[in-house]
């Protein structure tokens, strides 16, 4: 297996790859998503040509979607093929009071978590007591069993439910991007505290949703990237200091602090140019998972439960606080209200809430809380505000004085006591910055990152350096002992690579781990990747047999890096190598010397020393004389030469070393959280597809139901309409009224759960009664105007027929007159011909001689009087007919047929009553009108073609006038060896204005005899040019006269 960066591909493979790349790029509409994956809300931003960094709105036009999905039970019951309706966002939370066991909010809390002995899972179960949380046996993670399915249905994984939410986000983005857009590429934000298990769970959920994760980005870096898009930072190459800021992010699930370094850097650009880029680098990160908006809400919920349990009604019922906390509907109402109360207290000093029918139908509860009471209840959390900051400063090896500002992000960071604690920590309120959007900065940063990765977009170049968040290393077993080597720290930049050596010469297995203390069910060194070699033993044997390597000199190395994709360690390549020895001058070096690739050391002489030999060897006879002039023994008689050859022989026996490398083939298998089997993964995908198909069917069914309901209301209005009553009978109206009454009762009864097919049958039945009456009503309203339009068309055709007949009669008279004139002209012509042929010899002998007969005719000369008189004596033919007899026949026949059809239909319609179906339709009348109009238009177009004048002929090309004076006189009969047309070009026949040639330069180097002939020809040509000028002026005058 060749290593990365050294693989070679065939030309065909490269060509096909480029073709596929360009074809896919050109055919797809580029669009990417950035998703801020929060505990309580999910926000998305779209980047598309024409839509730069725009928030994806929900179906309710909100800028963030509640992270919840609910199953609304189907009224058809439960079963393996019956799927409930899925509802998302705020609509899902609204169902928590009715169906608390099938509403799944805040799934991020239990994503990538083991089920057994996990405090986070226990807290989630206490918050949502009605949810049936079970263990997914294949992986040992959290699963949910829905009451909408039977007991045999496999539990839903957290990743599966999260995939449904991501699909909903994607559908909203596609609707915003426009029809025909496809969205697959996405960058998702994750907390800096996320482990390998949690990151892989996010990636799996995105894959199930049909999304391709380009990269995962930590929350703090996403905020910093958005902060850098509109700013320019000091350039460190020029001696400036970078800016250091801290991003404090407190959301619904946890609190984190990320220290970022912002700087500009001058780097090499294409060619010899440089460019300045901006860099955002994580220097350290810290977090506190127990400090969050949900934790503050829990404080209010506990206080409400305690006060509610102390009411007289609850005591009468004999219930305690634990009974209230175990009641799903009650806890859903309290949790929903606690969020509102906390947000109100951020801007007000006190607030209250009222509940009716809480826990029991007649149990009412009124709760009041002040900001001071809330801060007293949450005092233990105020001490935790500084924990993420201290952890981040320790990781970055910085102090508070090194920070320029603290950038706030997250919804819970608006809590007043949190901001007071931050001001006390940093020592000044001026360092607290709110110059970023606390809700949307992270999602904008993720979308900017996605656009920067996708080659279809060109954005400001900002380089980001993320970290893994945890230390990692490699572990293996050697000589029966566990060995470990630490590779990366928690601040190591993603993309960093290290070489690790192993003392193994046989195939072995080693593990990459992540140091994550405190994870339930996992050791501190959490294994994340297992690597197994497959050809190490064979490769070592090849080095020993083929290259003579010894075991002590063979080394095994692997290149390990932090993946730019998710920040987890991965193996890039592995190799086994040794320094092989061989004697110089072997077969390989012999071949190199033969082709001129040998070493310049040793017995290979420099080229400059052999220049004399090369000169001598250029002649075969010299070479032969040289080689035969010296005897063989005389060539070895020089002692210096013998010593030199001896040294060369010693060098030939010298030993050289070179490194032989064989790349190791290996397999990587994720460790820790088990991977789903192919069968389980396929089963989940099929269930998601079945949900999608069920949703599409439900949408169509709802559309049919809405149509039927709207049609029933419309029918009630029609029964009171005068036009509808006029074209229907009393019996029919009574039947329609009864049918619609039955349909209305059915809709609000058994029909509410009817299938789409049943609803469509009811709709078709009602339409079968109403549509014919409605059609008669519409026809009765349209018919008079349609008849009037057709009658007007018939009148127009009749007028057209009369006009054509008149023109045809005038044409007949014109043809008779033309025939008579032609007979008279023929008789006169015969008499003139007989008189002209009586004296042919006279006309021949007296013909004048034309000296210019061989010249071209003048294109601008007018015709002679004789010719004009001859033309005028010819009788003019009659003009072509405008309309033919066939045209008249077409008009007449079409008019008669339409008129007959109309008379018959009107007579038939008069016999019908208003409640009968019409015999003549408005559409038929419109079609007949179009038929008449078409005949008339065709005839008019023929007339325009016949009467339009022919296009004018193209103007004749200008004829070159011959130089009648100078051209004929100057040079006629002269035989010279040069082309006189080139010499005299522009001197004659052009009407003057030509530039005179410099004859002296032309004739300077010619023989004397030829020069004299040319000079005489030139003088004659100049004389002719003068005459040509005069002729040209005359011709120009003729042209001007013709133009006037």
């Amino acid at each position: 297996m060749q290593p990365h960066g050294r693989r070679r591909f065939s030309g065909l493979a490269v060509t096909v790859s480029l073709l596929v790349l360009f074809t896919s790029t050109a055919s797809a509409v580029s669009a990417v998503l950035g998703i801020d994956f929060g505990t309580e809300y999910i926000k998305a931003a779209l980047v598309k040509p024409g839509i730069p960094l725009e928030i994806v709105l929900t179906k309710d036009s909100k800028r963030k979607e509640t992270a919840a999905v609910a199953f609304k039970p189907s009224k058809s019951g439960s079963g393996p093929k019956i799927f409930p309706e899925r509802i998302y966002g705020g609509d899902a939370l609204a169902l928590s009071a009715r169906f608390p066991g099938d509403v799944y909010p805040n799934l991020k809390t239990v994503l990538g978590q083991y089920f057994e002995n996990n405090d986070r899972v226990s807290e989630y179960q206490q918050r949502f007591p009605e949810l049936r949380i079970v263990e997914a046996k294949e992986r040992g993670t959290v699963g949910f069993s829905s009451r909408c399915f039977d007991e045999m249905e496999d539990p839903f994984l957290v990743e599966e439910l999260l995939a449904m939410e991501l699909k909903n986000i994607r559908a909203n983005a596609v609707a915003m991007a426009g029809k025909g857009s496809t969205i697959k590429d996405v960058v998702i934000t994750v907390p800096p505290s996320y482990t390998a298990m949690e990151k892989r769970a996010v990636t799996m959920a995105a894959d199930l949703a049909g999304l391709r994760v380009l990269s995962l980005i930590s929350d703090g870096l996403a905020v910093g990237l958005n902060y850098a898009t509109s700013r320019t930072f000091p350039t460190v190459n020029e001696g400036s200091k970078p800016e250091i800021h801290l991003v404090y992010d407190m959301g619904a699930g946890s609190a984190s602090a990320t220290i970022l370094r912002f700087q500009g850097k001058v780097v090499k650009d294409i060619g010899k140019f440089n460019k300045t880029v901006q860099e955002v680098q994580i220097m350290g990160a810290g977090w506190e998972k127990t400090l969050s908006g949900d934790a503050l809400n829990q404080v209010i919920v506990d206080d409400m439960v305690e006060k509610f349990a102390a009411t007289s009604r609850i005591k009468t019922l004999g219930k305690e606080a634990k009974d209230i906390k175990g009641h799903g509907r009650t806890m859903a109402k309290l949790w929903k209200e606690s969020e509102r109360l906390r947000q109100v207290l951020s801007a007000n000093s006190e607030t209250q809430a009222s509940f009716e029918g809480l826990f029991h139908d007649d149990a009412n509860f009124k709760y009041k809380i002040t900001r001071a009471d809330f801060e007293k209840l949450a005092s233990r959390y105020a001490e935790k505000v500084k924990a993420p900051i201290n952890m981040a400063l320790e990781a970055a090896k910085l102090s508070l004085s090194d920070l320029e500002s603290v950038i706030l992000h997250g919804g819970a960071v608006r809590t007043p006591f949190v901001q007071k604690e931050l001001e006390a920590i940093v020592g000044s309120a001026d360092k607290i910055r709110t110059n970023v959007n606390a809700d949307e900065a992270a999602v904008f940063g993720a979308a900017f990152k996605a656009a920067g990765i996708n080659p279809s977009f060109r954005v400001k170049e900002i380089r980001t350096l993320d970290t893994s968040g945890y230390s990692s290393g490699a572990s293996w077993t050697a000589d029966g002992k566990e060995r470990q080597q630490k590779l990366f720290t928690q601040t190591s930049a993603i993309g960093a690579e290290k070489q690790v050596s192993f003392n193994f010469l046989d195939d072995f297995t080693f593990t990459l781990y992540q140091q994550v203390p405190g994870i339930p069910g996992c050791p501190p060194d959490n294994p994340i990747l297992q690597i197994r070699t497959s050809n190490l033993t064979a490769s070592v044997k090849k080095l020993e047999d083929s290259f003579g390597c010894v075991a002590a000199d063979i080394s095994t190395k692997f290149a390990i890096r932090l993946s730019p994709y998710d920040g987890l360690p991965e193996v890039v390549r592995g190799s086994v190598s040794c320094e092989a020895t061989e004697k110089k001058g072997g077969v390989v070096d012999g071949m190199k010397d033969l082709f001129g690739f040998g070493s310049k050391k040793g017995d290979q002489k420099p080229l400059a020393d052999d220049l004399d030999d090369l000169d001598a060897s250029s002649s075969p006879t010299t070479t032969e004389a040289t080689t035969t002039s010296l005897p063989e023994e005389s060539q070895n008689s020089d002692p210096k030469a013998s010593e030199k050859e001896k040294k060369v022989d010693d060098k030939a026996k010298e030993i050289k070393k070179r490194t032989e490398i064989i790349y190791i083939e290996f397999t990587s298998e994720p460790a820790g959280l088990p991977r789903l089997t192919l069968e389980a993964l396929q089963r989940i995908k099929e269930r998601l597809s079945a949900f999608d198909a069920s949703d599409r069917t439900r949408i169509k069914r709802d559309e049919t139901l809405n149509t039927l309901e709207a049609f029933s209301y419309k029918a009630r209005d029609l029964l009171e309409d005068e036009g509808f009553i006029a074209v229907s009978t009393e019996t029919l109206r009574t039947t329609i009224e009864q049918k619609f009454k039955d349909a209305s009762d059915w809709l609000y009864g058994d029909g509410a759960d009817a299938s789409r097919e049943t609803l469509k049958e009811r709709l078709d039945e009602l339409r079968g009664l109403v549509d014919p009456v409605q059609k008669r009503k519409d026809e009765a309203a349209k018919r008079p105007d349609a008849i009037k339009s057709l009658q007007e068309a018939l009148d127009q055709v009749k007028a057209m027929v009369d006009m054509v007949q008149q023109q045809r009669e005038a044409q007949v008279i014109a043809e008779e007159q033309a025939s008579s004139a032609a007979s008279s002209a023929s008789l006169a012509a015969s008499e003139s011909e007989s008189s002209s042929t009586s004296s042919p010899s006279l006309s021949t002998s007296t013909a004048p001689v034309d000296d210019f007969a061989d010249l071209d005719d003048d294109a601008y000369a007018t015709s002679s009087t004789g010719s004009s008189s001859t033309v005028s004596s010819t009788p003019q033919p009659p003009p072509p007919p405008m309309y033919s007899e066939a045209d008249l026949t077409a008009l007449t026949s079409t008019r008669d047929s339409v008129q007959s059809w109309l008379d018959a239909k009107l007579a038939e319609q008069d016999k019908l009553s208003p409640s009968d179906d019409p015999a003549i339709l408005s559409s038929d009348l419109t079609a007949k009108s179009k038929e008449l109009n078409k005949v008339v238009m065709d005839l008019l177009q023929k007339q325009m073609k016949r009467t339009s004048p022919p296009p004018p002929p193209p103007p004749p090309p200008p004829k070159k006038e011959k130089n009648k004076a100078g051209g004929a006189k100057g040079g006629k009969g002269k035989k010279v060896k040069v082309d006189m047309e080139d010499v005299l070009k522009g001197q004659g026949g052009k009407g003057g204005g030509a530039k005179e040639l410099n004859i002296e330069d032309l004739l300077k180097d010619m023989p004397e005899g030829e020069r004299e002939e040319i000079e005489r020809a030139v003088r004659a040509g100049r004389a002719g040019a003068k005459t040509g000028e005069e002729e040209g002026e005359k011709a120009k005058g003729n042209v001007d006269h013709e133009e006037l």
Side-chain angles (χ1 to χ4, degrees):
M1 176 180 177
Q2 291 184 341
H4 293 275
R6 297 189 179 182
R7 298 178 184 175
R8 297 180 179 178
F9 305 94
S10 65
L12 178 61
V14 174
T15 304
V16 172
S17 300
L18 290 176
L19 179 61
V20 172
L21 174 63
F22 293 149
T23 304
S24 61
T25 302
S27 60
V29 178
S30 298
V32 293
L33 269 182
I35 295 180
D36 182 12
F37 176 42
T39 302
E40 187 177 5
Y41 295 101
I42 299 178
K43 294 175 281 291
L46 175 68
V47 181
K48 179 181 177 288
I51 306 179
L53 287 178
E54 187 68 27
I55 288 291
V56 176
L57 301 179
T58 67
K59 295 179 180 179
D60 300 330
S61 298
K62 297 181 180 179
R63 298 179 68 85
K64 56 185 179 181
E65 185 77 277
T66 303
V69 58
F71 294 160
K72 187 177 180 181
S74 174
K75 295 182 179 180
S76 301
S78 61
K81 295 183 179 181
I82 299 177
F83 291 89
E85 179 182 0
R86 292 181 298 183
I87 301 175
Y88 301 97
D91 295 338
L93 284 184
L95 294 175
S96 58
R98 295 176 55 196
F99 309 106
D102 283 301
V103 179
Y104 308 96
N106 298 22
L107 293 172
K108 185 179 178 180
T109 307
V110 293
L111 180 66
Q113 299 293 319
Y114 286 105
F115 177 78
E116 294 291 342
N117 302 322
N118 196 323
D119 294 338
R120 299 179 68 178
V121 177
S122 300
E123 292 175 359
Y124 190 85
Q125 182 69 79
Q126 291 176 4
R127 177 177 173 179
F128 307 104
E130 289 290 330
L131 291 178
R132 295 163 58 177
I133 303 178
V134 297
E135 181 181 5
K137 296 182 180 180
E138 293 182 352
R139 308 177 71 201
T141 57
V142 176
F144 294 92
S145 178
S146 174
R147 294 177 174 85
C148 297
F149 296 87
D150 56 23
E151 297 294 335
M152 301 302 295
E153 184 71 18
D154 294 327
F156 289 87
L157 299 180
V158 179
E159 294 87 345
E160 186 176 0
L161 296 174
L162 180 58
M164 297 180 185
E165 298 182 22
L166 293 178
K167 273 192 174 184
N168 178 57
I169 295 292
R170 179 187 178 185
N172 295 337
V174 170
M176 180 177 177
K179 188 177 182 180
S181 300
T182 56
I183 300 175
K184 300 189 75 172
D185 296 339
V186 63
V187 170
I188 303 177
T189 65
V190 293
S193 61
Y194 253 30
T195 63
M197 293 188 300
E198 292 166 317
K199 289 182 178 180
R200 287 172 178 169
V202 172
T203 305
M204 176 183 172
D207 179 68
L208 291 174
L211 296 172
R212 181 179 63 178
V213 180
L214 299 177
S215 174
L216 299 177
I217 183 172
S218 62
D219 293 328
L221 184 60
V223 175
L225 182 57
N226 176 251
Y227 181 80
T229 53
S230 58
R231 292 169 175 83
T232 302
F233 303 100
T235 304
V236 294
N237 306 68
E238 300 173 354
S240 301
K241 293 183 178 180
E243 296 183 11
I244 298 178
H245 302 268
L246 184 143
V247 176
Y248 196 89
D249 185 9
M250 183 174 174
S254 63
S256 65
T258 306
I259 299 177
L260 302 173
R261 179 169 63 191
F262 299 86
Q263 64 186 20
K265 182 180 289 187
V266 178
V267 297
K268 186 177 180 181
D269 199 2
I270 299 174
K272 299 181 180 179
F273 301 96
N274 294 332
K275 62 179 179 180
T276 302
V277 300
Q278 307 300 311
E279 287 187 350
V280 183
Q281 179 181 358
I282 293 181
M283 301 183 67
W287 52 85
E288 178 58 55
K289 295 182 179 181
T290 61
L291 176 63
S292 61
D294 282 351
L296 300 180
N297 294 341
Q298 182 72 55
V299 169
I300 299 177
V301 170
D302 292 342
D303 188 53
M304 285 192 293
V305 169
E306 182 179 352
K307 292 182 178 180
F308 182 53
T311 60
S312 58
R313 181 56 182 157
I314 297 300
K315 290 182 178 180
T316 303
L317 295 174
K319 301 296 181 181
E320 300 178 354
K322 63 178 181 179
D323 299 320
I324 298 174
K325 290 182 178 181
H327 193 264
R329 288 183 174 86
T330 301
M331 293 303 295
K333 292 179 181 180
L334 294 178
W335 269 103
K336 183 179 179 180
E337 195 64 20
S338 68
E339 174 75 13
R340 186 190 67 83
L341 293 174
R342 180 177 61 83
Q343 293 177 357
V344 172
L345 287 177
S346 298
N348 299 274
S349 59
E350 64 178 24
T351 185
Q352 62 182 7
S354 299
F355 302 91
E356 294 182 0
L358 188 65
F359 188 77
H360 198 269
D361 294 340
D362 57 352
N364 300 328
F365 175 58
K366 188 175 182 179
Y367 177 75
K368 183 179 181 180
I369 186 172
T370 64
R371 182 188 293 179
D373 295 337
F374 170 65
E375 292 180 353
K376 183 178 179 180
L377 293 172
S379 58
R380 66 180 184 274
Y381 292 104
E383 301 175 355
K384 297 182 179 182
V385 173
K386 62 182 179 181
I389 299 178
N390 294 336
M391 182 178 178
L393 290 173
E394 182 181 356
K397 296 179 173 57
L398 297 174
S399 62
L400 286 171
S401 60
D402 297 323
L403 302 179
E404 294 193 18
S405 70
V406 176
I407 302 172
L408 301 183
H409 186 266
V413 80
R414 298 187 180 95
T415 307
F417 79 84
V418 174
Q419 294 192 4
K420 289 180 182 179
E421 289 293 328
L422 290 174
E423 292 175 3
I425 292 171
V426 300
S428 174
D430 297 336
K431 282 192 174 183
I432 305 297
R433 301 283 178 84
T434 58
N435 48 2
V436 300
N437 190 327
D439 290 325
E440 300 175 354
V443 68
F444 280 135
F448 189 90
K449 176 80 170 179
I453 296 175
N454 192 304
S456 301
F457 300 95
R458 186 177 181 180
V459 298
K460 178 181 177 181
E461 187 170 0
I462 302 177
R463 299 181 179 180
T464 57
L465 296 175
D466 208 339
T467 59
S468 62
Y470 295 97
S471 300
S472 57
S475 63
W476 63 94
T477 303
D479 300 330
K481 297 181 180 180
E482 292 291 333
R483 311 274 182 180
Q484 282 189 349
Q485 182 176 350
K486 190 174 182 179
L487 302 178
F488 304 101
T489 65
Q490 61 179 347
T491 59
S492 296
I494 285 178
E497 182 177 313
K498 287 189 176 181
Q499 297 285 339
V500 183
S501 299
F502 295 90
N503 294 325
F504 288 99
L505 300 181
D506 296 323
D507 288 316
F508 72 106
T509 301
F510 67 97
T511 302
L512 299 180
Y513 64 87
Q514 195 177 53
Q515 291 183 339
V516 188
I519 292 185
C522 292
D525 297 337
N526 182 25
I528 59 176
L529 194 67
Q530 190 176 59
I531 295 89
R532 188 185 306 274
T533 65
S534 58
N535 68 332
L536 178 59
T537 304
S539 299
V540 171
K541 188 175 186 306
K542 182 177 180 180
L543 290 176
E544 293 175 345
D545 297 344
S546 302
F547 302 101
C549 298
V550 295
D553 297 333
I554 298 176
S555 63
T556 303
K557 295 181 179 180
F558 281 89
I560 303 174
R561 70 171 181 181
L562 293 176
S563 172
Y565 170 76
D566 53 12
L568 301 179
E570 64 177 0
V571 177
V572 180
R573 59 186 174 273
S575 64
V576 57
S577 62
C578 73
E579 289 188 349
T581 60
E582 62 178 357
K583 289 187 177 182
K584 191 175 180 181
V587 176
V588 176
D589 284 342
M591 295 299 295
K592 289 182 177 181
D593 293 338
L594 176 62
F595 290 102
F597 298 108
S599 174
K600 292 184 179 180
K601 299 178 181 180
D603 58 345
Q604 184 175 358
K605 298 179 181 179
L607 183 62
D609 297 339
D610 299 334
L611 290 178
D612 297 337
D613 296 339
L614 290 175
D615 294 339
S617 63
S618 61
S619 174
T621 56
T622 306
T623 304
E624 184 179 357
T626 303
T627 55
T628 57
S629 60
L630 294 176
E632 183 177 354
E633 56 272 8
S634 65
Q635 298 179 7
N636 299 328
S637 59
D638 191 355
K640 293 183 179 180
S642 300
E643 184 179 356
K644 185 176 181 180
E645 290 180 1
K646 183 178 181 181
K647 291 181 179 180
V648 170
D649 293 339
D650 293 339
K651 289 181 180 180
K653 297 178 182 180
E654 287 182 357
I655 303 301
K656 75 170 186 177
K657 296 182 178 180
R658 67 175 182 183
T659 303
E660 295 292 341
I661 301 176
I662 299 177
Y663 292 100
I664 300 175
E665 297 177 1
F666 60 89
T667 57
S668 299
E669 183 70 21
L673 189 66
R675 179 186 294 182
L676 281 177
T677 62
L678 294 178
E679 294 77 8
L681 187 62
Q682 183 64 27
R683 184 175 64 251
I684 292 175
K685 290 183 177 181
E686 289 177 355
R687 183 160 61 180
L688 289 174
S689 299
F691 259 110
D692 295 339
S694 177
D695 288 344
R696 289 192 295 268
T697 302
R698 185 177 296 105
I699 291 174
K700 293 181 179 179
R701 185 257 179 196
D702 292 342
E703 290 176 354
T704 306
L705 176 62
N706 294 335
T707 304
L708 177 59
E709 189 174 5
F711 193 73
S712 63
Y713 286 110
K714 180 182 177 181
R716 295 174 185 175
D717 298 335
L718 289 176
L719 291 175
E720 299 176 358
D721 183 70
E722 295 180 358
F724 191 87
I725 296 174
V727 294
S728 60
T729 62
E730 182 66 27
T731 304
L732 180 60
R733 291 194 298 273
T734 303
T735 303
I736 293 175
E737 184 177 6
Q738 183 62 39
K739 287 287 185 181
F740 273 96
K741 184 178 180 302
D742 296 341
S744 180
D745 296 339
W746 178 77
L747 278 177
Y748 294 101
D750 298 336
D753 301 328
S755 63
R756 179 172 179 264
E757 290 73 15
T758 305
L759 293 172
K760 194 171 183 303
E761 290 177 1
R762 285 270 185 168
L763 181 61
D764 294 340
E765 180 184 2
L766 296 177
R767 279 180 172 172
L769 296 174
V770 174
D771 286 351
V773 182
Q774 183 66 32
K775 184 177 180 181
R776 291 197 295 269
K777 175 189 171 184
D778 296 339
E779 287 296 329
K782 297 178 182 178
R783 191 182 307 116
D785 293 337
I787 293 175
K788 182 179 178 182
S789 298
L790 180 58
Q791 195 62 54
E792 291 176 353
L794 286 170
D795 294 340
Q796 292 176 359
V797 173
K798 184 178 181 300
M800 188 71 179
V801 170
D802 295 340
M803 182 190 69
V804 171
Q805 288 177 346
Q806 293 176 4
Q807 291 188 1
R808 287 293 302 162
E809 294 174 357
Q811 181 68 27
V812 171
I813 296 174
E815 289 177 356
E816 292 176 354
Q817 293 176 354
S819 176
S820 175
S823 302
S824 301
S826 175
L827 180 60
S830 60
E831 293 177 355
S832 176
E833 182 181 358
S834 61
S835 61
S836 62
T837 54
S838 61
S839 55
S841 59
L842 179 60
S843 61
T844 305
S845 61
T846 59
V849 178
D850 188 3
D851 295 335
F852 301 97
D854 58 338
L855 299 180
D856 293 338
D857 295 333
D858 190 356
Y860 303 99
T862 58
S863 59
S864 63
T865 307
S867 62
S868 62
S869 63
T870 304
V871 173
S872 62
S873 65
T874 304
Q876 296 292 336
M882 295 180 63
Y883 299 105
S884 64
E885 189 65 28
D887 297 336
L888 182 60
T889 303
L891 278 175
T892 307
S893 60
T894 304
R895 180 201 62 184
D896 295 341
S897 63
V898 172
Q899 186 66 56
S900 301
W901 176 86
L902 179 60
D903 295 340
K905 288 294 182 180
L906 290 177
E908 186 178 352
Q909 181 66 36
D910 292 339
K911 298 178 182 179
L912 300 176
S913 64
S915 60
D916 294 332
D917 291 335
I920 180 172
L921 301 177
S922 59
S923 58
D924 297 337
L925 294 169
T926 303
K928 292 297 181 180
S929 297
K930 290 182 178 179
E931 181 181 352
L932 292 174
N933 292 333
K934 184 177 182 303
V935 173
V936 174
M937 291 304 298
D938 291 345
L939 189 58
L940 293 176
Q941 289 178 358
K942 289 181 181 179
Q943 179 187 5
M944 293 175 62
K945 291 180 180 179
R946 290 168 181 169
T947 58
S948 58
K959 297 182 179 179
K960 295 182 180 180
E961 296 184 4
K962 295 185 179 180
N963 191 346
K964 298 180 180 180
K969 293 180 180 179
K972 187 177 181 180
K974 299 291 183 179
K975 297 181 179 180
V976 294
K977 296 183 179 180
V978 295
D979 191 349
M980 293 304 300
E981 185 178 355
D982 294 338
V983 176
L984 300 177
K985 187 175 181 181
Q987 298 298 321
K990 296 295 181 181
K995 185 178 179 181
E996 185 175 354
L997 293 176
N998 191 347
I999 301 301
E1000 287 74 16
D1001 294 340
L1002 182 63
L1003 305 178
K1004 182 171 57 175
D1005 298 329
M1006 282 191 176
E1008 184 176 356
E1010 295 182 0
R1011 185 167 58 247
E1012 291 178 356
E1013 292 183 0
I1014 293 175
E1015 287 176 351
R1016 288 195 298 270
V1018 169
R1019 286 195 294 270
R1022 285 174 177 172
K1026 185 176 182 181
T1027 307
E1029 271 187 42
E1030 298 174 356
E1031 295 292 335
E1033 289 294 334
K1034 293 179 181 180
K1036 186 175 183 296
N1038 292 335
V1039 173
D1040 294 341
H1041 178 72
E1042 289 293 333
E1043 291 177 353
L1044 292 174

